[in-house]
Amino acid sequence: MSPFLGLEIYHGENWAWELKGSYVNALSPDMRQLSGGLLHTHVYINLWTTD
């Protein structure tokens, strides 16, 4: 189980940059070792456009 919150930093015509943060809540006996926060960043590049 991993709820997340995201933010689009920039969205242009040919590329976009997103930042996402989440907290992983492990559903196993060793929950304390597997649970924790994560921060992701993604860059999406559009290589072609359609008319």
Side-chain angles (χ1 to χ4, degrees):
M1 195 160 56
S2 176
F4 70 91
L5 181 64
L7 178 67
E8 189 168 72
I9 304 295
Y10 178 79
H11 184 94
E13 185 176 332
N14 294 325
W15 68 283
W17 177 26
E18 292 182 352
L19 183 65
K20 293 181 182 177
S22 64
Y23 184 82
V24 177
N25 191 8
L27 301 175
S28 64
D30 50 351
M31 285 177 60
R32 297 176 109 195
Q33 292 179 339
L34 299 176
S35 297
L38 295 172
L39 186 63
H40 306 271
T41 185
H42 303 273
V43 175
Y44 300 98
I45 300 171
N46 187 11
L47 299 176
W48 63 87
T49 60
T50 58
D51 293 330

